[in-house]
Amino acid sequence: MARDWYDLFLLDQAPPEVPAEPEREEKRRGFFKRLRENMKKTREALTAEVQATLFEGDLDEETWERLEEALIYADVGAATTAQVVEELEREAEDGNLVGGEALSNRLAELLAQLARTGDDKIDLRPDPTVILVVGVNGTGKTTTIGKLAWHLRNTLQLQVVVGAADTFRAAAVEQLERWGERAGVDVVKGPEGSDPGAVAFDAIARGRERGADVIIIDTAGRLHTQTNLMDELTKVRRVISKQMPDAPHETLMTVDATTGQNGVRQAKLFGEAVGVTGIILTKLDGTAKGGIALAIANELNIPVKLIGIGEQLEDLRPFDPDDFAKALLTA
Protein backbone atom coordinates (compact mmCIF):
# COMPACT_ATOMS: atom_id res chain seq x y z
CA MET A 1 0.00 0.00 0.00
CA ALA A 2 1.61 3.26 -1.15
CA ARG A 3 1.26 6.00 1.45
CA ASP A 4 3.64 8.49 -0.15
CA TRP A 5 5.91 8.94 -3.20
CA TYR A 6 8.69 6.83 -1.69
CA ASP A 7 6.27 3.91 -1.20
CA LEU A 8 4.70 4.20 -4.65
CA PHE A 9 7.75 3.52 -6.79
CA LEU A 10 9.87 0.39 -6.96
CA LEU A 11 13.50 1.43 -7.46
CA ASP A 12 16.81 -0.42 -7.82
CA GLN A 13 18.28 1.81 -5.15
CA ALA A 14 16.88 4.22 -2.59
CA PRO A 15 16.62 7.89 -3.64
CA PRO A 16 19.57 10.01 -2.42
CA GLU A 17 17.55 12.00 0.11
CA VAL A 18 14.67 10.16 1.78
CA PRO A 19 13.25 12.22 4.67
CA ALA A 20 13.18 10.67 8.16
CA GLU A 21 9.99 8.78 9.06
CA PRO A 22 8.60 11.50 11.41
CA GLU A 23 8.82 14.06 8.58
CA ARG A 24 7.18 11.66 6.12
CA GLU A 25 4.39 10.93 8.61
CA GLU A 26 3.79 14.64 9.14
CA LYS A 27 3.45 15.14 5.37
CA ARG A 28 1.02 12.20 5.15
CA ARG A 29 -1.10 13.71 7.92
CA GLY A 30 -1.11 17.05 6.11
CA PHE A 31 -2.26 15.35 2.91
CA PHE A 32 -4.99 13.41 4.74
CA LYS A 33 -6.28 16.69 6.15
CA ARG A 34 -6.41 18.21 2.64
CA LEU A 35 -7.98 15.02 1.30
CA ARG A 36 -10.79 15.28 3.88
CA GLU A 37 -11.32 18.98 3.16
CA ASN A 38 -11.25 18.56 -0.60
CA MET A 39 -13.60 15.58 -0.58
CA LYS A 40 -16.14 17.53 1.43
CA LYS A 41 -18.91 17.19 -1.19
CA THR A 42 -18.79 13.39 -1.27
CA ARG A 43 -18.32 13.08 2.49
CA GLU A 44 -21.22 15.37 3.38
CA ALA A 45 -23.56 13.52 1.02
CA LEU A 46 -22.52 10.17 2.49
CA THR A 47 -22.14 10.90 6.20
CA ALA A 48 -25.61 12.40 6.51
CA GLU A 49 -27.11 9.13 5.25
CA VAL A 50 -24.70 6.94 7.23
CA GLN A 51 -25.65 8.88 10.38
CA ALA A 52 -29.36 8.52 9.62
CA THR A 53 -29.17 4.82 8.84
CA LEU A 54 -26.48 3.25 11.03
CA PHE A 55 -26.70 5.48 14.11
CA GLU A 56 -30.44 6.10 14.40
CA GLY A 57 -33.31 3.65 14.65
CA ASP A 58 -33.55 -0.07 13.94
CA LEU A 59 -31.50 -1.91 11.34
CA ASP A 60 -34.27 -3.08 9.04
CA GLU A 61 -34.67 -3.57 5.31
CA GLU A 62 -35.33 0.13 4.79
CA THR A 63 -32.07 0.99 6.60
CA TRP A 64 -29.98 -1.11 4.24
CA GLU A 65 -31.81 0.21 1.18
CA ARG A 66 -31.12 3.80 2.25
CA LEU A 67 -27.45 3.00 2.76
CA GLU A 68 -27.32 1.36 -0.69
CA GLU A 69 -28.89 4.45 -2.26
CA ALA A 70 -26.38 6.75 -0.55
CA LEU A 71 -23.40 4.69 -1.76
CA ILE A 72 -24.79 4.46 -5.30
CA TYR A 73 -25.37 8.23 -5.32
CA ALA A 74 -21.68 8.67 -4.39
CA ASP A 75 -20.88 6.49 -7.45
CA VAL A 76 -19.50 3.58 -5.50
CA GLY A 77 -21.25 1.51 -8.20
CA ALA A 78 -24.21 -0.87 -7.96
CA ALA A 79 -22.18 -4.10 -7.87
CA THR A 80 -19.67 -2.79 -5.32
CA THR A 81 -22.44 -1.30 -3.16
CA ALA A 82 -24.38 -4.58 -3.15
CA GLN A 83 -21.25 -6.47 -2.02
CA VAL A 84 -20.49 -4.04 0.80
CA VAL A 85 -24.02 -3.68 2.16
CA GLU A 86 -24.68 -7.43 1.98
CA GLU A 87 -21.53 -8.15 4.05
CA LEU A 88 -22.29 -5.37 6.55
CA GLU A 89 -25.86 -6.61 6.97
CA ARG A 90 -24.68 -10.21 7.49
CA GLU A 91 -22.15 -9.19 10.15
CA ALA A 92 -24.74 -7.01 11.92
CA GLU A 93 -27.28 -9.87 11.95
CA ASP A 94 -24.63 -12.25 13.33
CA GLY A 95 -24.22 -9.86 16.25
CA ASN A 96 -20.59 -9.08 15.42
CA LEU A 97 -21.28 -5.36 15.04
CA VAL A 98 -23.22 -3.39 17.60
CA GLY A 99 -23.81 0.36 17.47
CA GLY A 100 -23.41 3.03 14.83
CA GLU A 101 -19.69 3.59 15.38
CA ALA A 102 -18.78 -0.09 14.96
CA LEU A 103 -20.95 -0.30 11.82
CA SER A 104 -19.48 2.89 10.35
CA ASN A 105 -15.87 1.76 11.04
CA ARG A 106 -16.56 -1.62 9.48
CA LEU A 107 -18.12 0.07 6.44
CA ALA A 108 -14.88 2.08 5.99
CA GLU A 109 -12.83 -1.15 6.28
CA LEU A 110 -14.97 -2.95 3.68
CA LEU A 111 -14.74 -0.04 1.25
CA ALA A 112 -10.93 0.12 1.67
CA GLN A 113 -10.66 -3.66 1.09
CA LEU A 114 -12.56 -3.40 -2.19
CA ALA A 115 -10.36 -0.52 -3.33
CA ARG A 116 -7.25 -2.70 -3.01
CA THR A 117 -6.74 -4.56 -6.25
CA GLY A 118 -3.82 -5.60 -8.42
CA ASP A 119 -0.39 -4.03 -8.08
CA ASP A 120 -0.61 -0.54 -6.61
CA LYS A 121 3.11 0.19 -7.14
CA ILE A 122 4.84 1.67 -10.19
CA ASP A 123 7.96 -0.28 -11.13
CA LEU A 124 10.80 2.04 -12.17
CA ARG A 125 13.47 -0.67 -12.29
CA PRO A 126 13.49 -1.09 -16.11
CA ASP A 127 16.21 1.15 -17.58
CA PRO A 128 14.73 3.36 -18.87
CA THR A 129 11.12 2.95 -17.67
CA VAL A 130 8.50 4.02 -20.23
CA ILE A 131 5.18 5.27 -18.86
CA LEU A 132 2.35 5.76 -21.37
CA VAL A 133 -0.41 8.11 -20.18
CA VAL A 134 -3.86 7.91 -21.80
CA GLY A 135 -7.27 9.46 -21.15
CA VAL A 136 -9.91 11.62 -22.82
CA ASN A 137 -9.40 15.37 -23.10
CA GLY A 138 -10.51 17.37 -20.10
CA THR A 139 -9.49 14.77 -17.51
CA GLY A 140 -6.38 16.70 -16.44
CA LYS A 141 -3.99 14.39 -18.29
CA THR A 142 -1.39 16.97 -19.30
CA THR A 143 -1.31 18.69 -15.89
CA THR A 144 -1.01 15.29 -14.20
CA ILE A 145 1.95 14.35 -16.40
CA GLY A 146 3.60 17.65 -15.48
CA LYS A 147 3.10 17.04 -11.75
CA LEU A 148 4.26 13.42 -12.03
CA ALA A 149 7.40 14.52 -13.91
CA TRP A 150 8.06 17.15 -11.23
CA HIS A 151 7.87 14.59 -8.41
CA LEU A 152 10.05 12.06 -10.24
CA ARG A 153 12.67 14.73 -10.86
CA ASN A 154 12.50 16.73 -7.63
CA THR A 155 11.30 14.22 -5.02
CA LEU A 156 13.15 11.13 -6.29
CA GLN A 157 16.03 12.91 -8.12
CA LEU A 158 15.47 10.91 -11.35
CA GLN A 159 16.27 12.00 -14.90
CA VAL A 160 13.01 12.37 -16.86
CA VAL A 161 12.11 12.93 -20.52
CA VAL A 162 8.52 13.72 -21.57
CA GLY A 163 7.20 13.02 -25.08
CA ALA A 164 4.46 15.44 -26.17
CA ALA A 165 2.68 12.95 -28.46
CA ASP A 166 -0.73 14.67 -28.26
CA THR A 167 0.17 16.44 -31.48
CA PHE A 168 -3.47 17.22 -32.33
CA ARG A 169 -3.71 19.81 -29.57
CA ALA A 170 -1.17 22.64 -29.61
CA ALA A 171 -2.22 23.77 -26.13
CA ALA A 172 -1.23 20.37 -24.68
CA VAL A 173 2.29 20.68 -26.09
CA GLU A 174 2.68 24.25 -24.77
CA GLN A 175 1.39 23.18 -21.36
CA LEU A 176 3.89 20.31 -21.20
CA GLU A 177 6.72 22.65 -22.19
CA ARG A 178 5.82 24.97 -19.29
CA TRP A 179 5.76 22.01 -16.91
CA GLY A 180 9.07 20.82 -18.36
CA GLU A 181 10.69 24.15 -17.49
CA ARG A 182 9.16 24.11 -14.01
CA ALA A 183 10.19 20.52 -13.30
CA GLY A 184 13.59 20.69 -14.97
CA VAL A 185 12.87 17.89 -17.46
CA ASP A 186 13.35 17.53 -21.22
CA VAL A 187 10.24 17.74 -23.42
CA VAL A 188 10.34 16.21 -26.90
CA LYS A 189 7.80 17.52 -29.41
CA GLY A 190 7.06 17.47 -33.13
CA PRO A 191 5.33 19.94 -35.47
CA GLU A 192 1.60 20.46 -34.80
CA GLY A 193 -0.42 17.65 -36.36
CA SER A 194 2.65 15.44 -36.83
CA ASP A 195 2.60 11.68 -36.31
CA PRO A 196 2.26 10.88 -32.57
CA GLY A 197 4.16 7.62 -33.07
CA ALA A 198 7.14 9.57 -34.42
CA VAL A 199 7.17 11.81 -31.32
CA ALA A 200 7.02 8.75 -29.04
CA PHE A 201 9.90 7.22 -31.03
CA ASP A 202 11.99 10.42 -30.73
CA ALA A 203 11.24 10.73 -26.99
CA ILE A 204 12.53 7.21 -26.31
CA ALA A 205 15.60 7.82 -28.49
CA ARG A 206 16.29 11.10 -26.61
CA GLY A 207 15.74 9.43 -23.26
CA ARG A 208 18.23 6.68 -24.02
CA GLU A 209 20.74 9.14 -25.42
CA ARG A 210 20.49 11.31 -22.25
CA GLY A 211 20.57 8.35 -19.85
CA ALA A 212 17.05 9.12 -18.59
CA ASP A 213 15.56 6.95 -15.84
CA VAL A 214 11.94 7.56 -16.88
CA ILE A 215 10.27 8.49 -20.18
CA ILE A 216 6.64 9.65 -19.98
CA ILE A 217 4.59 9.72 -23.19
CA ASP A 218 1.48 11.93 -23.44
CA THR A 219 -1.17 10.86 -25.97
CA ALA A 220 -4.19 12.22 -27.82
CA GLY A 221 -7.46 12.30 -25.92
CA ARG A 222 -9.88 13.04 -28.72
CA LEU A 223 -10.06 12.14 -32.42
CA HIS A 224 -12.97 12.06 -34.88
CA THR A 225 -14.28 8.75 -33.56
CA GLN A 226 -13.61 6.41 -30.65
CA THR A 227 -12.25 3.83 -33.09
CA ASN A 228 -9.76 6.32 -34.53
CA LEU A 229 -8.53 7.20 -31.04
CA MET A 230 -8.06 3.58 -29.97
CA ASP A 231 -6.29 2.79 -33.27
CA GLU A 232 -3.96 5.76 -32.71
CA LEU A 233 -3.14 4.70 -29.14
CA THR A 234 -2.53 1.11 -30.25
CA LYS A 235 -0.16 2.40 -32.92
CA VAL A 236 1.79 4.48 -30.38
CA ARG A 237 2.09 1.40 -28.15
CA ARG A 238 3.37 -0.59 -31.13
CA VAL A 239 6.03 2.04 -31.94
CA ILE A 240 7.20 1.99 -28.30
CA SER A 241 7.31 -1.84 -28.20
CA LYS A 242 9.38 -1.99 -31.38
CA GLN A 243 12.10 0.06 -29.68
CA MET A 244 11.81 -1.65 -26.30
CA PRO A 245 10.02 -5.02 -26.40
CA ASP A 246 8.83 -4.84 -22.75
CA ALA A 247 7.62 -1.24 -23.01
CA PRO A 248 5.47 0.57 -22.14
CA HIS A 249 6.19 -0.71 -18.65
CA GLU A 250 3.20 1.15 -17.21
CA THR A 251 0.05 2.48 -18.89
CA LEU A 252 -1.71 5.00 -16.68
CA MET A 253 -5.13 6.44 -17.46
CA THR A 254 -6.48 9.73 -16.14
CA VAL A 255 -10.17 9.61 -15.19
CA ASP A 256 -12.15 12.70 -14.17
CA ALA A 257 -14.02 11.83 -10.94
CA THR A 258 -16.77 14.33 -11.75
CA THR A 259 -17.88 12.15 -14.68
CA GLY A 260 -18.99 9.36 -12.31
CA GLN A 261 -20.09 6.12 -13.98
CA ASN A 262 -19.11 7.51 -17.38
CA GLY A 263 -15.53 7.45 -16.09
CA VAL A 264 -15.93 3.77 -15.23
CA ARG A 265 -17.09 3.09 -18.80
CA GLN A 266 -14.11 5.04 -20.21
CA ALA A 267 -11.70 3.05 -18.03
CA LYS A 268 -13.24 -0.21 -19.29
CA LEU A 269 -12.93 0.87 -22.92
CA PHE A 270 -9.32 2.08 -22.63
CA GLY A 271 -8.42 -0.91 -20.47
CA GLU A 272 -9.54 -3.31 -23.19
CA ALA A 273 -7.85 -1.34 -26.00
CA VAL A 274 -4.47 -0.41 -24.51
CA GLY A 275 -4.02 -2.55 -21.39
CA VAL A 276 -4.32 0.10 -18.66
CA THR A 277 -2.27 -0.92 -15.59
CA GLY A 278 -3.31 1.90 -13.27
CA ILE A 279 -5.76 4.77 -12.85
CA ILE A 280 -5.04 8.38 -11.92
CA LEU A 281 -8.32 9.73 -10.56
CA THR A 282 -8.45 13.52 -10.93
CA LYS A 283 -10.76 16.35 -9.77
CA LEU A 284 -11.93 14.56 -6.63
CA ASP A 285 -12.30 17.97 -5.00
CA GLY A 286 -15.07 18.98 -7.41
CA THR A 287 -17.55 16.15 -7.01
CA ALA A 288 -19.95 14.40 -4.65
CA LYS A 289 -19.22 11.21 -6.60
CA GLY A 290 -15.81 10.28 -5.14
CA GLY A 291 -16.93 6.66 -4.73
CA ILE A 292 -15.91 6.11 -8.36
CA ALA A 293 -12.42 5.15 -7.09
CA LEU A 294 -13.95 2.10 -5.42
CA ALA A 295 -16.10 1.17 -8.43
CA ILE A 296 -13.13 1.24 -10.85
CA ALA A 297 -10.87 -0.78 -8.55
CA ASN A 298 -13.46 -3.40 -7.60
CA GLU A 299 -15.49 -3.78 -10.81
CA LEU A 300 -12.72 -3.40 -13.41
CA ASN A 301 -9.88 -4.82 -11.31
CA ILE A 302 -7.65 -1.88 -12.28
CA PRO A 303 -5.77 -0.36 -9.33
CA VAL A 304 -6.11 3.35 -8.62
CA LYS A 305 -2.47 4.44 -8.21
CA LEU A 306 -2.72 8.23 -7.92
CA ILE A 307 -5.41 10.76 -7.03
CA GLY A 308 -5.74 14.46 -7.71
CA ILE A 309 -7.61 16.56 -5.16
CA GLY A 310 -6.82 20.09 -6.32
CA GLU A 311 -4.69 22.40 -8.44
CA GLN A 312 -1.56 22.48 -6.26
CA LEU A 313 1.52 20.42 -7.01
CA GLU A 314 1.13 18.52 -3.72
CA ASP A 315 -2.52 17.72 -4.55
CA LEU A 316 -1.43 14.81 -6.77
CA ARG A 317 -0.66 11.93 -4.43
CA PRO A 318 -0.44 8.13 -4.26
CA PHE A 319 -3.81 6.52 -3.51
CA ASP A 320 -4.11 5.05 -0.01
CA PRO A 321 -7.38 3.05 0.23
CA ASP A 322 -7.56 3.27 4.04
CA ASP A 323 -7.13 7.05 4.13
CA PHE A 324 -9.54 7.40 1.21
CA ALA A 325 -12.30 5.38 2.94
CA LYS A 326 -11.78 7.36 6.16
CA ALA A 327 -11.96 10.64 4.26
CA LEU A 328 -15.24 9.48 2.68
CA LEU A 329 -16.91 8.55 5.95
CA THR A 330 -15.35 10.47 8.84
CA ALA A 331 -17.67 13.27 9.88
Side-chain angles (χ1 to χ4, degrees):
M1 186 176 67
R3 298 201 60 215
D4 64 14
W5 292 101
Y6 303 101
D7 289 338
L8 176 65
F9 297 109
L10 297 175
L11 299 160
D12 272 330
Q13 54 191 44
E17 295 171 19
V18 180
E21 189 53 40
E23 187 185 333
R24 286 174 68 180
E25 191 52 43
E26 192 179 331
K27 284 188 175 175
R28 288 177 195 134
R29 278 200 300 269
F31 180 72
F32 178 69
K33 189 179 172 193
R34 279 203 308 284
L35 179 65
R36 268 192 89 258
E37 287 166 359
N38 291 10
M39 286 186 63
K40 188 178 174 188
K41 289 181 180 176
T42 304
R43 189 177 68 258
E44 284 181 349
L46 257 182
T47 50
E49 281 302 310
V50 169
Q51 189 74 29
T53 53
L54 301 185
F55 284 80
E56 298 164 15
D58 298 327
L59 296 176
D60 54 21
E61 199 172 325
E62 190 186 336
T63 302
W64 302 116
E65 280 178 8
R66 276 187 71 180
L67 183 59
E68 279 191 349
E69 283 170 15
L71 290 168
I72 288 169
Y73 177 76
D75 262 324
V76 170
T80 305
T81 294
Q83 266 179 276
V84 168
V85 174
E86 191 179 314
E87 177 60 24
L88 197 65
E89 186 178 357
R90 188 186 62 73
E91 291 183 23
E93 283 174 357
D94 288 348
N96 298 330
L97 300 169
V98 180
E101 193 172 340
L103 285 160
S104 181
N105 289 341
R106 182 60 181 142
L107 175 59
E109 282 175 13
L110 289 169
L111 291 174
Q113 276 172 26
L114 290 177
R116 286 190 201 98
T117 186
D119 185 0
D120 67 346
K121 308 280 191 191
I122 295 176
D123 191 348
L124 298 183
R125 290 172 297 186
D127 184 22
T129 300
V130 179
I131 299 175
L132 184 67
V133 184
V134 301
V136 300
N137 286 354
T139 55
K141 180 164 51 76
T142 307
T143 301
T144 298
I145 289 170
K147 289 179 181 178
L148 180 59
W150 190 95
H151 281 289
L152 288 167
R153 179 73 196 102
N154 296 282
T155 304
L156 297 181
Q157 313 294 309
L158 298 175
Q159 296 296 326
V160 181
V161 167
V162 175
D166 183 358
T167 59
F168 304 100
R169 207 164 60 94
V173 178
E174 288 163 16
Q175 203 178 345
L176 274 182
E177 285 184 306
R178 286 197 298 275
W179 270 107
E181 286 169 20
R182 183 175 175 185
V185 305
D186 264 359
V187 175
V188 175
K189 64 175 185 175
E192 189 178 342
S194 61
D195 178 33
V199 176
F201 184 95
D202 291 345
I204 291 172
R206 173 88 62 89
R208 287 172 133 176
E209 183 189 299
R210 298 275 172 97
D213 301 296
V214 183
I215 300 160
I216 306 174
I217 310 289
D218 189 13
T219 56
R222 185 179 66 232
L223 288 179
H224 300 302
T225 68
Q226 203 82 50
T227 309
N228 285 359
L229 177 57
M230 296 307 152
D231 287 349
E232 190 60 61
L233 294 175
T234 307
K235 183 180 150 197
V236 170
R237 273 188 75 88
R238 217 168 33 242
V239 167
I240 293 169
S241 299
K242 273 186 182 168
Q243 280 178 287
M244 294 181 69
D246 295 336
H249 305 98
E250 190 85 40
T251 301
L252 299 176
M253 177 182 179
T254 52
V255 174
D256 176 352
T258 65
T259 61
Q261 287 300 305
N262 193 35
V264 179
R265 285 189 288 274
Q266 285 171 14
K268 187 172 189 292
L269 185 68
F270 275 80
E272 289 166 354
V274 291
V276 173
T277 55
I279 298 292
I280 304 172
L281 194 59
T282 62
K283 307 186 187 183
L284 272 165
D285 52 317
T287 182
K289 298 182 177 294
I292 181 184
L294 310 171
I296 288 174
N298 186 48
E299 292 168 32
L300 302 183
N301 209 29
I302 303 173
V304 177
K305 299 199 176 186
L306 289 155
I307 54 173
I309 57 163
E311 296 295 320
Q312 302 304 313
L313 193 53
E314 62 271 21
D315 289 335
L316 177 73
R317 293 286 290 189
F319 176 68
D320 178 340
D322 291 320
D323 277 358
F324 187 79
K326 281 182 209 154
L328 274 181
L329 293 169
T330 312

